[in-house]
Amino acid sequence: MVIDPPVLYPGTPVVLLSSVNPDGSTNVAPMSSAWVLGRTAVLGLGSEGQTFQNLTQRPDCVLNYASASLWPQVERLAPLTGRSPVPAAKVARFRFEPDKFGAAGLTPVASELVKADRVSECPIQVEARVLDARPLNTGDASLVEAAVLRVHVHPELAAPDRRHVRVAEWSPLFYVFRHYVGSGEELGRTFRATTPRSATATATADVGDVVVGRRSVVDVIDAPAVNVTPGR
């Protein structure tokens, strides 16, 4: 039957996108419209947010792919914006937060080829640099193309050849019609969800009590981006 969904995210992995603020600090924002074609990342962003403003003026960025266990941290970021004053379209439901890493309980780690910090807790981190950024014809969003420069993964995801990701060890966080889903049942829901929580969902975690430890990463220098890229 024909339906008219308010959003169309059938199931896309979550990316925490790092970009560089005017003062040189790193802004990090959750998104779910990201994918990779060859060695080019393609990102769909709202035009009014700080992330798009950053990318049009300072091209360095990092695609940090969140694991399922990070959904509480992702949801902490969801109602925050790095832009001040808050854009009129967001002011009713979003608030300005200059320290998003601190607010979400995430750890910044310096990148090697770009100025934007990586998110230590994310098992896959892709350094990239913007090639082009332009508004879509609809006028309510923009398209960004970025060249993939370097891929980092947590050690348990690195295959012995240091070129491939051990897929069986990777548990991405998916964004499904404004609900957070891992490889199994629903884990939680975003504050913008318009549908009820699934009956099979696990008990909601107290976001304030969640702690994620720091983890080291190894570089997968020659890993084809298409092999490591879910996207949001």
Side-chain angles (χ1 to χ4, degrees):
M1 61 189 302
V2 175
I3 67 170
D4 184 21
V7 295
L8 190 56
Y9 293 96
T12 49
V14 173
V15 170
L16 299 183
L17 184 61
S18 301
S19 61
V20 183
N21 290 318
D23 64 1
S25 63
T26 294
N27 182 66
V28 59
M31 62 177 299
S32 60
S33 296
W35 62 97
V36 169
L37 304 172
R39 302 288 294 188
T40 302
V42 182
L43 315 173
L45 301 169
S47 301
E48 293 188 340
Q50 186 62 39
T51 297
F52 183 68
Q53 298 300 313
N54 285 346
L55 296 180
T56 58
Q57 299 172 34
R58 292 163 295 279
D60 289 0
C61 62
V62 182
L63 285 70
N64 302 278
Y65 291 96
S67 61
S69 63
L70 291 177
W71 80 264
Q73 285 84 350
V74 173
E75 180 58 15
R76 287 196 200 117
L77 287 172
L80 308 180
T81 177
R83 190 167 183 184
S84 179
V86 178
K90 293 187 172 185
V91 71
R93 305 190 72 180
F94 290 78
R95 66 177 176 85
F96 170 64
E97 174 54 64
D99 180 16
K100 290 190 179 180
F101 279 95
L106 296 170
T107 308
V109 58
S111 294
E112 297 179 356
L113 301 178
V114 300
K115 295 180 180 178
D117 289 335
R118 294 175 281 145
V119 178
S120 177
E121 290 81 1
C122 289
I124 298 176
Q125 308 151 8
V126 180
E127 298 185 39
R129 184 164 290 127
V130 172
L131 300 170
D132 187 35
R134 59 189 182 277
L136 296 174
N137 291 333
T138 56
D140 58 355
S142 297
L143 183 69
V144 175
E145 299 175 34
V148 170
L149 303 179
R150 179 159 293 177
V151 179
H152 307 262
V153 301
H154 283 178
E156 65 270 21
L157 296 187
D161 64 3
R162 296 177 67 86
R163 295 193 64 239
H164 296 88
V165 169
R166 298 175 63 189
V167 176
E169 304 300 322
W170 171 225
S171 179
L173 176 63
F174 292 98
Y175 192 64
V176 181
F177 294 105
R178 289 181 174 163
H179 292 250
Y180 298 118
V181 176
S183 57
E185 61 189 6
E186 178 187 326
L187 299 171
R189 62 200 300 268
T190 179
F191 79 107
R192 298 181 67 189
T194 56
T195 54
R197 195 159 182 264
S198 301
T200 58
T202 55
T204 302
D206 182 347
V207 174
D209 291 339
V210 174
V211 177
V212 175
R214 299 186 183 185
R215 309 177 75 179
S216 61
V217 297
V218 296
D219 296 331
V220 183
I221 305 300
D222 194 32
V226 69
N227 288 345
V228 298
T229 306
R232 176 184 172 192

